[in-house]
């Protein structure tokens, strides 16, 4: 059978008759495929048994083309993943090393990938994106189910079912569903509101999680360095890593120096792992750079990495319980126990009155007549009594307190994000309100972090800006080498145009910009003319960085150092003058240089020194063995002064914090004179304040540290350990401490502090992960805003506690007294559930969303042990509760005669006045101490909206939902009387605030008496 015959048969078979049904057409198609496959198989057998191999055109028919991406990239994702995962060096050599893999991935080792849209899409299709599958968030239905698990809700639902069943049996479906149906509707309304608020909070956490996971990473693309999101990293990217960075993908070490990785997040091992090109070139996603810097080639991203697989199984829990929530839960339990006791007593009294025949029905007939009473009627009555008792428990238990905390924290987190502060830990919101000491960095927090070299000293001569001509070419070459080779920054100059792009830290950018513009430094030429032999990377402990390099032209070896001026000066034994002459650095010359450094520092300049030393081959080998550069007997090349101006408004923010009773301390790595100048300019250094150096503070005894720590305003030349030591001393003295930090070494201090504040721009990923709040703009003004928000959260919770406890006390006393005296509960289950909804949810929403005001910064910080319910709150809530109890009990016993109405209208009046009292008291709760409760109310649209909604719903309940709420319509005069009685809570609130209260908490007197 020939190929042409098979193809012809195939064509005939595939063209199925049009009159066949769909099922028959499917069978026809399947048969055609089987037939053709068998035919081709027989043809191939015939071909291989023949002696002559014919070049049949059948090859073109059966050819299956490979995927275009498989053809483009010469390596598959699985091989790359396994290579790094198993740290397989042999396999790496099979691929011709890292350069071979880069070539297979179409990556230029120097310039990175060609990041066209087509290239990025192709890499995504072949290797995946740098994202991981997240576990699905909780659905709204799950929150509804959780709300149903509340015991009191379940009891109420049981009562509703029984009430509905007996009501329908007794009065028929048309009339009998009202009581049970009303409870059902009220319960479902409470559940719905609770589920919606929890669901929205969960969504809020998801949004914050996305923001916090969107880390910026430096990569090389199209021949230049640029910042991109970690989510945009693709396989083949050249990633530039420095101290504190998170490794964004699995990859291979290209080049770098002294790279140490913290792999504890992956392996649990605390020891740092050295990564180099010879023995261990493998980097894992999720690990942190502990020291050094490097460039890596990304080989696996997203779900192809071990980190991605781990993260896909982890979900961020939003159920973190803050200290304030824990305290409120205790308060809720205590109030709940009182409510249970009252409800149990009410249950006993009502049961006793019913079964002793002391209750009557609507017609005045005795309800229980022993054995003559129907079982249905007894069960119905008992269900009603149990429902009333359970409803009292529902009202008594202030489950709105945790909800209020959740709402105010979620609201404040959202608003703080707009104010440049991202909350990573909920507890930090409230703890910040208690902070009374803030330890702040200088650079970037108090200053703008926009650095520029303004002074340049060569020898003992000040070189004017732009006048590099009188300087010796040899000295210029040394400075250029010291700048170009001893840096983590880069200078990129496009082939077309003269624009220069400089990347790196603000200090590095300032020095590179100065050298490029004033000294005509060509960075690429210098790098190509030299070979780097060894590097000591900069960190905040050493305050300097060094590089050993060999000039290719003459094989001479030099060590270049750059760092804090007085530290470099201490290592020097000679210096160059502008003419290139090497002079001895004796004591007299050293004093002159010290005065130069102090003079620049007093002008708020950061002083950086450059030094070098010629090294022999033997010294170079010793340095390699010791893994440490020679730093003795250096020759000072020059000094630069870098200006970093103070942020506008920082002095005002510092004064606001100090006025609020918060002590500000500046902890910086700069020298004493620079630190003192900046601290004075910002208003941190007070008249009696102390300025110390880190080493001096470190060398104090523990007693001396504790004695002096409160007086210290500035700590200069501090190490991360000194910062940690200060935080520990402050906490030992009982202070609530907030600390700012941006470096990897700041992590211990950030964790030790009560509130760790990391910097969003300059902060490393390690610092951010150790912190509670990320200051997105690195501005001290934002720290002051966070302080204000913290106080606002605490005050809003107190407002709600006062409001809710007023309702609780009033409702419990009224129901208990009425039940004991008359055997009736004036507020029905549905009415109490409605009150519960007003105070728990709508009240929490209204009071928990008040924005911070300037008044908050006029009060001292709240101590961590201060009681939640202050004397002021007790005064306010007891006054309002007593007024409500007096009015409503009067109406309960004399309401019919006072208003000349029947009992049903009297009960409606009690319900209406009770609800309206809460509405008016909500205004009182806005200000705990201020008499003018309406100040700034126009700014809180949500509060006014909730008040309006509450009033509208109350009118609907009374006037239109008679059977649902068990109410009667009221006339205009009765509505006027209700509003007038409820409005009296305003003047009462004003008068009560005139009564002074002692500072010592009321409850402390009870504790004192219990001891004696």
């Amino acid at each position: 059978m020939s190929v042409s015959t098979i193809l012809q048969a195939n064509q005939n078979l595939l063209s199925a008759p049009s009159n066949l049904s769909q099922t028959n057409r499917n069978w026809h198609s399947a048969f055609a495929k089987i037939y053709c496959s068998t035919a081709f198989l027989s043809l191939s057998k015939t071909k291989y048994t023949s002696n002559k191999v014919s070049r049949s055109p059948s090859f073109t028919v059966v050819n299956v083309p490979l995927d275009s991406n498989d053809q483009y990239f010469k390596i598959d994702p699985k091989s790359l993943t396994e290579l790094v995962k198993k740290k397989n060096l042999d396999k790496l050599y099979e691929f011709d090393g890292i350069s071979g893999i880069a070539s297979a991935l179409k990556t230029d080792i120097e310039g990175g990938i060609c990041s066209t849209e087509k290239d990025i899409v192709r890499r995504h299709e072949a290797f995946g994106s740098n994202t991981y599958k997240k576990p699905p968030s909780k659905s709204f239905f799950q929150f509804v189910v959780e709300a149903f698990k509340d015991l009191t809700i379940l009891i109420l639902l049981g009562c509703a079912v029984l009430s509905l069943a007996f009501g329908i049996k007794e009065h028929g479906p048309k009339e009998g569903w009202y009581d049970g149906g009303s409870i059902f509707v009220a319960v479902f309304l409470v559940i719905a509101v609770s589920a919606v608020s929890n669901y929205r909070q969960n969504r809020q956490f998801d949004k914050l999680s996305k923001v916090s996971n969107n880390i910026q990473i430096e990569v090389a693309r199209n021949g230049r360095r640029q910042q991109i999101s970690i989510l945009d990293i693709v396989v083949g990217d050249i990633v530039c890593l420095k101290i504190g960075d998170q490794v964004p993908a699995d990859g291979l070490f290209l080049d770098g120096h002294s790279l140490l990785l913290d792999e504890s997040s992956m392996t649990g091992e605390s020891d740092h792992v050295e990564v180099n090109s010879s023995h261990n070139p493998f980097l894992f996603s999720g690990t942190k750079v502990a020291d050094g810097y490097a460039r890596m080639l990304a080989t696996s991203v997203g779900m192809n990495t071990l980190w991605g697989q781990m993260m896909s199984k982890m979900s961020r829990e939003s159920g973190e319980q803050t200290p304030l929530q824990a305290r409120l839960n205790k308060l809720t339990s205590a109030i709940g126990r009182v409510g249970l006791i009252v409800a149990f007593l009410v249950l006993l009294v009502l049961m006793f009155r019913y079964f002793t025949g002391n209750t009557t029905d609507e017609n005045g007939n005795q309800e229980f007549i022993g054995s003559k009473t129907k079982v249905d009627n007894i069960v119905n009555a008992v269900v009603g009594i149990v429902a009333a008792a359970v409803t009292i428990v529902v009202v008594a238990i202030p489950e709105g307190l945790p909800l209020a905390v959740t709402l105010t924290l979620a609201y404040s987190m959202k608003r703080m994000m707009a104010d440049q502060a991202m909350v990573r830990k909920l507890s930090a919101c409230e703890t910040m309100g208690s902070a009374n000491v803030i330890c702040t960095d200088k650079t970037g927090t108090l200053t703008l972090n926009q650095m520029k070299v303004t002074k340049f000293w060569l020898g003992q001569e000040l070189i004017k800006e732009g006048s590099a001509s009188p300087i010796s070419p040899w000295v210029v070459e040394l400075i250029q080498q010291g700048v170009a080779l001893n840096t983590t920054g880069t200078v990129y100059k496009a082939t077309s145009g003269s624009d220069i792009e400089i990347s790196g830290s603000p200090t590095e950018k300032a020095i590179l910009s100065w050298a490029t513009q004033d000294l005509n430094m060509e960075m690429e030429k210098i790098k190509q003319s030299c070979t780097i032999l060894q590097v000591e990377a900069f960190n905040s402990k050493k305050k300097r960085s060094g590089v050993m390099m060999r000039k290719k032209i003459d094989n001479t070896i030099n060590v270049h150092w750059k760092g804090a001026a007085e530290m470099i000066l201490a290592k020097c034994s000679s210096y160059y003058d502008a003419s290139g002459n090497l002079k001895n650095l004796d004591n007299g010359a050293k004093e002159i240089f010290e005065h130069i450094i102090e003079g620049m520092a007093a002008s708020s300049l950061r002083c950086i020194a450059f030094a070098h030393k010629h090294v022999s081959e033997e010294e170079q080998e010793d340095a390699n063995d010791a893994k440490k550069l020679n730093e003795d007997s250096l020759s000072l090349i020059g000094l630069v002064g870098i200006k970093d101006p103070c942020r506008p408004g920082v002095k005002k923010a510092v004064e606001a914090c100090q006025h609020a009773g918060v002590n500000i301390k500046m902890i910086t790595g700069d020298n004493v004179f620079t630190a003192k100048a900046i601290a004075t300019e910002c208003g941190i250094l007070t008249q009696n304040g102390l300025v110390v150096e880190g080493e001096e503070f470190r060398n104090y005894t523990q007693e001396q540290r504790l004695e002096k720590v409160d007086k210290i305003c500035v700590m200069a030349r501090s190490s991360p350990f000194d910062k940690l030591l200060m935080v520990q001393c402050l906490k030992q003295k009982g202070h609530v401490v907030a600390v700012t930090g941006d470096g990897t070494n700041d992590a211990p201090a950030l964790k030790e502090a009560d509130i760790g504040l990391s910097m969003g721009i300059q902060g490393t990923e390690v610092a951010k992960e150790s912190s509670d709040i990320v200051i997105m703009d690195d501005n001290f003004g934002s720290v002051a805003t966070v302080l204000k928000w913290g106080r606002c959260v605490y005050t809003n919770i107190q407002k709600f506690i006062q409001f809710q406890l007023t309702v609780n006390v009033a409702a419990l006393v009224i129901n208990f007294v009425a039940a004991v005296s008359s055997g009736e509960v004036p507020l029905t289950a549905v009415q109490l559930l409605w009150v519960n909804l007003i105070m728990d949810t709508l009240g929490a929403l209204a009071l928990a969303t008040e924005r911070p005001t300037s008044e908050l910064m006029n009060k001292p910080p709240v101590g961590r042990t201060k009681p939640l319910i202050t004397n002021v709150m007790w005064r306010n809530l007891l006054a309002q509760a007593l007024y409500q109890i007096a009015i409503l009990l009067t109406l309960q016993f004399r309401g019919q005669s006072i208003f000349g109405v029947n009992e049903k209208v009297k009960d409606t009046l009690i319900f209406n006045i009770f609800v309206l009292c809460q509405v008016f008291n909500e205004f009182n709760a806005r200000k705990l101490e201020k008499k003018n409760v309406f100040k700034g109310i126009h700014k809180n649209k949500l509060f006014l909206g909730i008040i309006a909604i509450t009033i509208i719903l109350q009118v609907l309940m009374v006037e239109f939902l008679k059977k649902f709420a068990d109410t009667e319509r009221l006339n205009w005069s009765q509505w006027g009387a209700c509003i007038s009685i409820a409005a009296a809570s305003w003047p009462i609130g004003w008068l009560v605030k005139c009564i002074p209260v002692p500072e010592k908490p009321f409850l402390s007197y009870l504790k004192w008496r219990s001891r004696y």
Side-chain angles (χ1 to χ4, degrees):
M1 188 184 288
S2 66
V3 173
S4 57
T5 308
I6 295 169
L7 290 173
Q8 184 62 45
N10 186 28
Q11 190 175 356
N12 294 335
L13 282 166
L14 288 173
S15 55
S18 58
N19 59 347
L20 289 177
S21 67
Q22 184 61 47
T23 307
N24 289 334
R25 287 173 71 87
N26 291 342
W27 278 108
H28 187 277
S29 175
F31 172 76
K33 288 172 183 173
I34 293 166
Y35 174 83
C36 293
S37 301
T38 309
F40 277 123
L41 188 63
S42 65
L43 183 68
S44 66
K45 285 176 182 175
T46 308
K47 183 183 74 172
Y48 281 104
T49 53
S50 65
N51 295 324
K52 188 177 178 182
V53 179
S54 64
R55 295 191 173 274
S56 169
S58 62
F59 284 107
T60 57
V61 178
V62 295
N63 178 45
V64 180
L66 291 169
D67 182 79
S68 58
N69 289 326
D70 289 342
Q71 290 178 321
Y72 186 77
F73 299 110
K74 307 300 182 189
I75 192 167
D76 63 288
K78 191 176 179 183
S79 298
L80 281 172
T81 304
E82 291 298 312
L83 171 72
V84 177
K85 194 174 179 181
K86 293 180 179 178
K87 295 189 175 184
N88 194 333
L89 280 170
D90 295 333
K91 193 78 174 172
L92 181 60
Y93 297 140
E94 282 179 27
F95 286 113
D96 293 330
I98 297 167
S99 58
I101 288 179
S103 176
L105 292 172
K106 307 294 182 188
T107 299
D108 176 5
I109 286 180
E110 292 303 322
I113 63 171
C114 177
S115 60
T116 61
E117 189 178 342
K118 185 181 178 182
D119 184 58
I120 297 294
V121 169
R122 185 181 276 152
R123 291 176 190 275
H124 277 155
E125 287 174 354
F127 303 103
S129 62
N130 201 24
T131 54
Y132 50 85
K133 296 171 186 171
K134 292 182 183 176
S137 296
K138 277 187 183 178
S139 64
F140 177 72
F141 178 73
Q142 285 174 294
F143 285 106
V144 172
V145 171
E146 282 183 10
F148 264 111
K149 290 177 182 176
D150 189 290
L151 183 61
T152 50
I153 292 291
L154 291 173
I155 295 171
L156 275 172
L157 284 172
C159 293
V161 169
L162 292 171
S163 180
L164 190 67
F166 288 110
I168 290 172
K169 187 178 180 184
E170 189 175 346
H171 303 291
K174 196 172 181 181
E175 300 287 332
W177 69 274
Y178 288 124
D179 286 345
S182 301
I183 297 173
F184 262 123
V185 172
V187 167
F188 280 119
L189 197 58
V190 169
I191 286 169
V193 171
S194 173
V196 166
S197 63
N198 287 329
Y199 177 67
R200 288 192 63 184
Q201 185 215 352
N202 196 57
R203 293 287 297 273
Q204 179 79 25
F205 270 96
D206 285 344
K207 285 180 185 176
L208 282 172
S209 183
K210 283 178 185 174
V211 173
S212 62
N213 289 338
N214 189 17
I215 301 164
Q216 293 297 303
I217 294 289
E218 192 174 74
V219 298
R221 285 184 176 181
N222 303 318
R224 66 188 184 94
R225 290 193 182 188
Q226 52 191 280
Q227 293 272 344
I228 65 168
S229 166
I230 193 171
L231 306 174
D232 295 331
I233 297 281
V234 294
V235 169
D237 259 325
I238 304 294
V239 182
C240 307
L241 299 171
K242 59 183 182 300
I243 293 177
D245 280 351
Q246 178 178 313
V247 178
D250 285 359
L252 297 167
F253 178 92
L254 283 174
D255 53 51
H257 295 278
S258 311
L259 186 66
L260 293 177
L261 292 186
D262 175 5
E263 295 187 352
S264 57
S265 58
M266 302 291 292
T267 63
E269 294 292 332
S270 57
D271 291 340
H272 294 159
V273 177
E274 185 179 352
V275 178
N276 50 46
S277 54
S278 55
H279 299 101
N280 179 29
F282 306 103
L283 295 96
F284 294 99
S285 177
T287 57
K288 308 288 189 304
V289 180
D291 199 5
Y293 60 89
R295 294 190 315 140
M296 67 167 266
L297 172 68
T299 56
S300 298
V301 294
M303 290 301 293
N304 290 329
T305 67
L306 192 60
W307 179 254
Q309 291 165 16
M310 282 169 56
M311 293 303 288
S312 69
K313 293 170 186 172
M314 292 169 63
S315 59
R316 175 167 176 170
E317 285 297 322
S318 58
E320 173 198 351
Q321 192 177 71
T322 70
L324 186 57
Q325 282 175 324
R327 288 172 75 183
L328 284 174
N329 284 342
K330 286 183 182 177
L331 181 64
T332 302
S333 300
I335 297 168
R337 282 195 290 272
V338 174
L340 278 169
I341 293 166
V342 172
F344 183 68
L345 290 173
V346 168
L347 182 70
L348 288 179
V349 169
L350 292 180
M351 287 287 195
F352 178 78
R353 289 181 66 88
Y354 176 76
F355 285 109
T356 54
N358 289 316
T359 56
T360 56
D361 59 18
E362 293 173 357
N363 302 318
N365 301 319
Q366 186 177 324
E367 285 187 309
F368 184 76
I369 318 169
S371 57
K372 295 179 182 178
T373 311
K374 292 179 182 178
V375 174
D376 287 359
N377 292 342
I378 294 171
V379 174
N380 209 18
V382 169
V383 166
I385 292 168
V386 170
V390 170
T391 310
I392 289 171
V393 175
V394 172
V395 174
I397 295 174
E399 64 267 24
L401 287 178
L403 175 65
V405 179
T406 302
L407 283 171
T408 193
L409 288 175
Y411 174 78
S412 60
M413 281 170 72
K414 189 177 179 182
R415 290 291 182 183
M416 282 165 80
M417 193 69 189
D419 288 340
Q420 302 299 317
M422 186 183 78
V423 179
R424 295 186 74 255
K425 291 180 184 172
L426 267 179
S427 55
C429 284
E430 61 198 45
T431 312
M432 196 66 190
S434 302
N436 59 357
V437 177
I438 298 175
C439 298
T440 177
D441 288 333
K442 175 187 79 71
T443 306
T445 309
L446 298 172
T447 60
L448 282 168
N449 219 4
Q450 294 173 0
M451 299 191 184
K452 185 182 179 184
V453 174
T454 56
K455 285 191 178 179
F456 171 39
W457 288 82
L458 193 54
Q460 295 169 4
E461 183 184 345
L462 178 64
I463 307 298
K464 293 289 193 301
E465 192 176 346
S467 60
S469 51
I471 307 173
S472 162
W474 161 243
V475 176
V476 171
E477 185 185 347
L478 284 176
I479 295 171
Q480 288 179 343
Q481 286 174 6
V483 172
L485 303 175
N486 189 11
T487 183
T488 54
T490 59
V491 177
Y492 172 77
K493 188 172 183 180
T495 48
S496 57
S498 58
D499 289 341
I500 294 173
E501 287 183 24
I502 299 174
S503 67
S505 70
T507 306
E508 296 282 14
K509 284 163 81 174
I511 293 170
L512 288 169
S513 176
W514 163 73
T516 305
Q517 292 171 12
D518 288 17
L519 303 180
N520 300 315
M521 180 186 77
E522 293 189 40
M523 194 165 176
E524 281 306 311
K525 275 190 180 179
I526 295 169
K527 281 188 170 183
Q528 287 167 13
S529 67
C530 303
T531 305
I532 293 175
L533 304 174
Q534 196 175 333
V535 171
E536 273 196 37
F538 177 89
N539 66 43
S540 53
K541 189 177 181 181
K542 295 182 292 188
K543 302 199 183 302
R544 60 185 178 274
S545 62
V547 60
M548 184 186 288
M549 46 75 68
R550 187 196 299 271
K551 284 182 73 175
K552 291 179 181 177
I553 195 167
D554 56 9
N555 276 336
T556 55
I557 300 171
N558 283 288
V559 170
H560 282 275
W561 283 98
K562 175 184 74 180
E566 68 269 30
M567 291 191 169
I568 296 290
L569 182 66
K571 302 284 183 182
C572 292
S573 59
S574 58
Y575 69 94
Y576 286 97
D577 64 11
S579 303
N581 301 316
L582 190 63
K583 296 187 175 181
N584 184 43
L585 187 66
D586 55 21
N587 290 334
K590 191 167 275 191
E591 277 185 27
I592 293 171
F593 279 113
E594 284 171 355
H595 283 304
I596 290 169
I597 292 166
E598 286 172 18
M600 286 197 285
S603 304
S604 306
L605 299 183
R606 171 177 279 188
C607 306
I608 305 291
F610 296 93
H612 98 111
K613 182 181 182 180
H614 178 73
V615 177
S616 65
E617 290 285 348
E618 293 78 17
E619 286 177 309
Q620 187 244 325
E621 287 173 10
D622 292 342
N624 283 342
D625 293 339
K627 292 189 177 179
K628 193 176 180 184
L629 296 179
N630 193 314
E631 55 183 9
D632 297 319
S633 302
L634 304 178
S635 299
L636 184 69
I637 305 171
L639 300 166
V640 292
I642 301 173
K643 181 72 175 174
D644 185 13
C646 280
R647 285 183 179 272
V650 75
K651 189 171 184 179
K652 193 176 177 184
V654 168
E655 285 172 356
C657 289
Q658 290 169 339
H659 180 66
V662 179
N663 189 10
I664 310 296
K665 299 183 187 296
M666 186 175 89
I667 303 175
T668 178
D670 282 340
N671 71 31
V672 170
F673 302 100
T674 308
K676 200 182 283 187
I678 293 288
T680 304
E681 194 177 339
C682 295
I684 291 172
L685 186 56
T686 56
Q687 195 171 2
N688 300 319
L690 293 179
V691 179
V692 298
E693 285 196 342
E695 189 178 1
E696 182 187 349
F697 183 74
R698 202 183 315 141
N699 293 333
Y700 285 153
T701 63
Q702 180 67 4
E703 290 73 24
Q704 286 176 317
R705 278 197 290 266
L706 290 171
E707 182 190 339
K708 295 187 177 184
V709 72
D710 285 331
K711 297 174 187 174
I712 294 170
C713 291
V714 178
M715 185 156 72
R717 281 290 174 241
S718 65
S719 69
F721 176 75
D722 299 327
K723 185 186 277 192
L724 175 63
L725 206 55
M726 176 166 271
V727 172
Q728 288 170 339
C729 286
L730 288 165
K731 285 183 75 177
Q732 280 175 32
K733 294 206 75 175
H735 295 293
V736 179
V737 188
V739 169
T740 70
D742 55 10
T744 302
N745 292 330
D746 288 329
L750 289 168
K751 284 181 178 177
E752 179 69 24
D754 296 290
I755 311 103
L757 305 163
S758 64
M759 301 296 114
I761 299 171
Q762 286 303 310
T764 63
E765 285 311 310
V766 173
K768 288 176 189 174
E769 284 199 6
S770 302
S771 68
D772 305 305
I773 297 173
V774 180
I775 305 299
M776 304 300 284
D777 60 354
D778 292 15
N779 190 348
F780 185 82
S782 299
V783 176
T785 305
V786 169
L787 180 69
K788 196 187 288 186
W789 269 110
R791 292 187 172 194
C792 180
V793 166
Y794 198 86
T795 306
N796 284 352
I797 298 301
Q798 286 186 315
K799 290 174 186 177
F800 181 69
I801 289 171
Q802 179 185 296
F803 171 69
Q804 184 162 50
L805 289 187
T806 305
V807 186
N808 284 9
V809 171
L812 280 175
V813 172
I814 292 160
N815 275 317
F816 179 70
V817 172
V820 170
S821 58
S822 64
E824 294 177 0
V825 178
L827 299 170
T828 66
V830 172
Q831 290 170 355
L832 283 172
L833 283 169
W834 167 235
V835 171
N836 195 52
L837 185 69
I838 291 172
M839 67 179 187
D840 271 6
T841 309
L842 298 179
L845 202 58
L847 294 170
T849 53
E850 286 275 354
R851 297 203 69 174
T853 61
S854 55
E855 294 169 4
L856 292 169
M857 301 296 272
N858 295 332
K859 296 189 293 184
V862 180
R864 66 173 93 214
T865 55
K866 289 264 182 87
L868 266 175
I869 308 173
T870 63
N871 290 354
V872 168
M873 292 165 66
W874 280 119
R875 178 195 66 189
N876 297 343
L877 77 88
L878 288 174
Q880 294 293 338
L882 288 171
Y883 170 69
Q884 291 178 22
I885 290 164
I887 289 293
L888 296 176
L889 286 179
T890 302
L891 289 175
Q892 173 67 14
F893 298 112
R894 294 283 181 269
Q896 285 178 259
S897 57
I898 292 170
F899 285 97
V901 293
N902 61 31
E903 190 173 354
K904 199 77 183 259
V905 175
K906 178 206 74 175
D907 286 344
T908 303
L909 285 169
I910 290 172
F911 168 58
N912 203 30
I913 290 170
F914 187 58
V915 170
L916 291 176
C917 276
Q918 312 322 320
V919 171
F920 282 96
N921 194 35
E922 224 162 328
F923 287 86
N924 288 327
R926 286 190 70 243
K927 306 285 180 185
L928 297 176
E929 296 180 64
K930 299 288 180 183
K931 293 174 184 174
N932 182 6
V933 296
F934 303 106
K935 187 179 179 181
I937 199 165
H938 61 284
K939 294 178 183 176
N940 194 342
K941 302 288 192 296
L942 185 61
F943 180 89
L944 294 172
I946 286 169
I947 294 292
I949 289 167
T950 306
I951 292 169
I952 290 165
L953 290 174
Q954 179 62 15
V955 171
L956 286 172
M957 289 280 282
V958 172
E959 297 294 322
F960 302 102
L961 300 172
K962 289 168 58 182
K963 290 188 176 178
F964 172 76
D966 198 19
T967 56
E968 286 291 326
R969 285 192 172 184
L970 302 178
N971 57 38
W972 286 106
S973 62
Q974 287 164 345
W975 269 103
C978 291
I979 293 167
S980 302
I981 292 167
S985 64
W986 281 351
I988 288 168
W990 190 90
L991 287 168
V992 163
K993 285 172 185 173
C994 296
I995 303 169
V997 290
E999 285 292 319
K1000 192 175 181 182
F1002 289 144
L1003 294 178
S1004 65
Y1005 292 103
L1006 297 174
K1007 289 178 184 175
W1008 180 81
R1009 285 184 182 177
S1010 66
R1011 287 180 193 162
Y1012 299 98

